Amino acid sequence: MQLGTRWPVGGEPPASLPAEVHAAISEVEAQLVGIDTALWRWTLTWLERRPVVDLDDGTRITVDRSGAVRISPPDESTSDEDELDF
């Protein structure tokens, strides 16, 4: 695992992320309207050369081996069957 970077909710994600991951981040952030996220941060790590993006609330965005982007809500388990396709 390689640590990438951290940035605030509403901030600019790293340019190294694929456009589909940028879109997933925007989708998650759109659902946070009305929630105080002033202290929340995204954390980017790389696992097997694929990005893993975690939000402080437990939301996780991953890219599977086929290239599909998945969003795992914070209140869900991290099993494959509980993840949402984006």
Side-chain angles (χ1 to χ4, degrees):
M1 182 184 297
Q2 176 185 1
L3 183 61
T5 189
R6 286 177 57 85
W7 70 96
V9 168
E12 186 65 32
S16 60
L17 290 172
E20 297 84 5
V21 175
H22 279 256
I25 291 167
S26 294
E27 175 71 23
V28 170
E29 289 184 352
Q31 296 174 19
L32 299 175
V33 173
I35 298 172
D36 181 8
T37 59
L39 299 177
W40 291 13
R41 302 287 180 267
W42 291 99
T43 301
L44 167 64
T45 54
W46 296 88
L47 183 60
E48 297 178 0
R49 297 188 186 123
R50 291 191 306 266
V52 177
V53 183
D54 291 301
L55 185 57
D56 285 347
D57 75 341
T59 300
R60 175 171 276 186
I61 300 171
T62 57
V63 178
D64 68 18
R65 289 184 182 140
S66 70
V69 176
R70 299 183 177 272
I71 300 171
S72 299
D75 57 344
E76 299 283 331
S77 70
T78 58
S79 70
D80 288 338
E81 64 190 13
D82 289 336
E83 293 179 340
L84 304 173
D85 286 325
F86 181 80

